[in-house]
Amino acid sequence: MTPEPLQREFDVIVIGAGAVGENVADRVIQGGLTAALIEAELVGGECSYWACMPSKALLRPGTALHGAQSVPGAVEAVTLTLDAAAVLKRRDYFTANWQDDSQVKWLEDTGIELIRGHGWITAPRTVEVAGLDGNAYELKARHAVVLATGSTPTTPPIEGLADLQVWGTREATSAKDVPERLAVIGGGVAGTELAQAFARLGSDVTLVARSGLLGTFPAEATKLVTASLRADGVAVRLNTSTESVRENDDGTYTLTLQDQTLDGRTTVTAERVLVSTGRHPALEGLGLESLGFEAQDGQPLKLTTDSTGLVQGVQSSPGAPDEKGEDPWLYAVGDAAGSNFFTHQGKYEARATGDAIAARAKGELSGAPAAWSRYAQTANQYAVPSVVFTDPELAAVGRTVEQAKQDGYNVSSVELPIEVSGSSLHSEHYEGWAQLVVDEDRRVLLGATFAGPDVGELLHAATIAVVGEVPLERLWHAVPSFPTVSEVWLRLLEKYGL
């Protein structure tokens, strides 16, 4: 006989104990509620063990070495190649050797209960869990269930690919050795970063992209990254599709490629193939069908949320307090919400959602919160920052020129190479580029992009300017220290006409 499930009740149940889920639970605990986290893998999630932290640990040594090699006096004191074993060891340190003891200890100290297992929704405010301890659980939420299940890789329709044991980003960031030859399919952030990381670790890398690299960034910025990859020995195949992948008798893989600008096919053979062609919300197996949600036209299921993370379209249950007939109990945050696939933005969403849940539980919040309040994810619409940690880095926040025009703004832009005293001191032959996107009617920034070594550290100033809607005339009084790369802000404003 199947044993009866153990029944528990909490104020809030969070499915998914990655960084985003942890933040939701933490905020509701701070708001005086109880919370349970359900997780079948490692507490800390993708970012801690297979994405942000390990990938940057793989990238940073190459960037540091290249930086030293670009400064006279330092170049004479360093070697020309990385110690791959030492890099992988340092990567292992930053993933805590894929052990989550410290994160579990934090949950315990915070007062968040962890239930290890697979959870799914069976009814409003009800979650069943197949526990990894062999027990079954039926959990009831007094106030909210939050989906913080992250995202999963999207597999492209390439002939032969589905039958092969190729790398995804998880396998690449947790690799125990460096392949002699690596083929990377995908020219997005992860594919580009990992192509450079493995090239600097000693792999012969071919990167295949259906269009250009990093297509959400301005072309002037991505040109610098493309040139750097090629300087590192990466064979960058742009505007090229992968038609098929097959495994050879010796365990290698052969890719058949079609260059869209040339007539004819070519092949590439490698010991490993990394597929990095995007991700989609991980919503399968969560019981959302029981709530009326279904994928359409063979596409992955996607949810719509409001500014607090509340899932739209959830049918009301008996006693629903919402006057519109909807029952405000199901939330989605981070990649699961499908708006922005960035850990930092997911954590921002989690803070707003956790605070909104606690406020609603206390009767302090009804209806939609005001924009830019602590309960609203307003920055998702106007000021999402992102950094690509290649060498050179790309950093951007807010709207591009094209996005601003599509949104109906009277927009202008100012751009220039980063050529200031600080960049000259930073390294020999520093190459960089910067752009500001301006709302001409209000004379405030709508967006900014920087490309160049270490420009990620310029981004938060731009984020503050966009979020704060700082008038350009006031921004001109924010004097950059000399000699820093931040002096490019002054040059941009001067070129604009201030």
Side-chain angles (χ1 to χ4, degrees):
M1 295 179 60
T2 303
E4 287 294 317
L6 303 175
Q7 296 188 343
R8 304 285 304 280
E9 190 172 59
F10 300 90
D11 289 324
V12 179
I13 299 167
V14 183
I15 305 178
V20 176
E22 288 177 313
N23 272 264
V24 173
D26 184 35
R27 297 300 277 215
V28 299
I29 289 287
Q30 291 182 39
L33 305 181
T34 61
L37 271 174
I38 303 168
E39 178 57 62
E41 295 190 295
L42 296 176
V43 175
E46 203 77 18
C47 181
S48 297
Y49 304 103
W50 298 287
C52 314
M53 296 306 292
S55 66
K56 305 316 171 274
L58 291 173
L59 282 160
R60 179 57 192 164
T63 301
L65 178 60
H66 183 255
Q69 291 171 339
S70 65
V71 179
V75 64
E76 292 82 2
V78 299
T79 63
L80 298 179
T81 59
L82 292 171
D83 183 329
V87 173
L88 295 178
K89 182 178 180 180
R90 184 172 185 265
R91 181 276 317 272
D92 293 349
Y93 167 78
F94 276 100
T95 61
N97 288 293
W98 292 275
Q99 300 293 319
D100 62 1
D101 297 6
S102 63
Q103 304 246 27
V104 172
K105 179 65 163 56
W106 177 82
L107 295 182
E108 294 172 350
D109 292 344
T110 307
I112 301 167
E113 182 152 347
L114 171 64
I115 299 175
R116 291 191 184 269
H118 297 272
W120 64 95
I121 297 167
T122 56
R125 293 185 172 85
T126 304
V127 176
E128 288 192 9
V129 182
L132 299 185
D133 60 3
N135 292 317
Y137 298 85
E138 183 179 82
L139 308 182
K140 295 284 189 178
R142 299 183 189 94
H143 298 293
V145 174
V146 184
L147 304 179
T149 48
S151 58
T152 191
T154 300
T155 302
I158 296 173
E159 181 184 341
L161 186 62
D163 300 324
L164 301 176
Q165 296 295 316
V166 297
W167 276 1
T169 51
R170 275 195 172 198
E171 290 77 16
T173 58
S174 60
K176 299 303 181 185
D177 51 37
V178 177
E180 180 180 346
R181 293 171 295 180
L182 173 66
V184 179
I185 301 175
V189 174
T192 304
E193 287 183 346
L194 291 169
Q196 185 170 54
F198 277 94
R200 289 183 167 183
L201 286 168
S203 288
D204 182 357
V205 179
T206 300
L207 187 153
V208 184
R210 290 180 61 87
S211 53
L213 288 189
L214 304 166
T216 60
F217 288 85
E220 290 298 323
T222 61
K223 285 178 183 176
L224 295 177
V225 176
T226 303
S228 181
L229 289 177
R230 287 175 169 151
D232 286 330
V234 178
V236 181
R237 302 286 301 273
L238 303 180
N239 303 306
T240 300
S241 58
T242 303
E243 294 191 343
S244 66
V245 182
R246 72 172 189 272
E247 186 173 5
N248 304 313
D249 293 339
D250 61 357
T252 62
Y253 300 88
T254 296
L255 287 67
T256 300
L257 310 177
Q258 175 66 59
D259 190 322
Q260 298 166 20
T261 62
L262 300 175
D263 185 19
R265 295 178 173 84
T266 57
T267 60
V268 171
T269 299
E271 277 68 35
R272 297 287 183 185
V273 177
L274 165 59
V275 180
S276 179
T277 52
R279 302 178 71 86
H280 61 271
L283 300 174
E284 297 81 5
L286 295 177
L288 292 170
E289 298 82 2
S290 67
L291 302 176
F293 294 101
E294 294 183 2
Q296 301 294 324
D297 301 323
Q299 297 298 310
L301 179 62
K302 190 177 188 303
L303 301 174
T304 300
T305 58
D306 72 1
S307 66
T308 67
L310 188 66
V311 175
Q312 304 298 283
V314 178
Q315 298 301 309
S316 63
S317 59
D322 191 284
E323 62 183 13
K324 296 179 181 179
E326 293 190 345
D327 190 359
W329 64 270
L330 182 62
Y331 295 77
V333 288
D335 288 9
S339 297
N340 299 284
F341 290 74
F342 302 111
T343 297
H344 52 271
Q345 208 68 18
K347 290 163 70 174
Y348 159 76
E349 294 172 14
R351 295 190 293 271
T353 293
D355 286 350
I357 291 170
R360 285 179 173 139
K362 299 172 185 176
E364 297 173 353
L365 174 65
S366 61
W372 300 115
S373 72
R374 64 181 296 176
Y375 309 122
Q377 303 166 10
T378 312
N380 277 355
Q381 303 175 52
Y382 305 110
V384 177
S386 65
V387 178
V388 182
F389 287 88
T390 47
D391 180 19
E393 292 176 345
L394 299 186
V397 64
R399 294 173 173 86
T400 64
V401 172
E402 292 74 17
Q403 291 168 341
K405 289 180 178 178
Q406 290 174 4
D407 290 343
Y409 286 93
N410 175 24
V411 65
S412 69
S413 69
V414 55
E415 53 271 328
L416 45 71
I418 299 179
E419 296 174 348
V420 293
S421 297
S423 61
S424 298
L425 287 166
H426 183 283
S427 57
E428 294 287 284
H429 312 298
Y430 186 107
E431 287 190 86
W433 182 82
Q435 179 190 58
L436 300 181
V437 179
V438 179
D439 175 357
E440 286 294 337
D441 293 333
R442 295 182 298 153
R443 301 267 285 184
V444 298
L445 291 186
L446 295 173
T449 300
F450 303 96
D454 296 324
V455 295
E457 298 303 328
L458 298 177
L459 186 61
H460 196 55
T463 303
I464 292 170
V466 173
V467 169
E469 298 181 330
V470 181
L472 294 184
E473 287 75 10
R474 177 62 63 87
L475 193 59
W476 184 82
H477 291 278
V479 182
S481 297
F482 182 87
T484 65
V485 180
S486 291
E487 193 179 10
V488 70
W489 277 94
L490 176 58
R491 300 291 167 249
L492 285 163
L493 293 173
E494 287 177 337
K495 185 175 180 180
Y496 179 77
L498 293 175

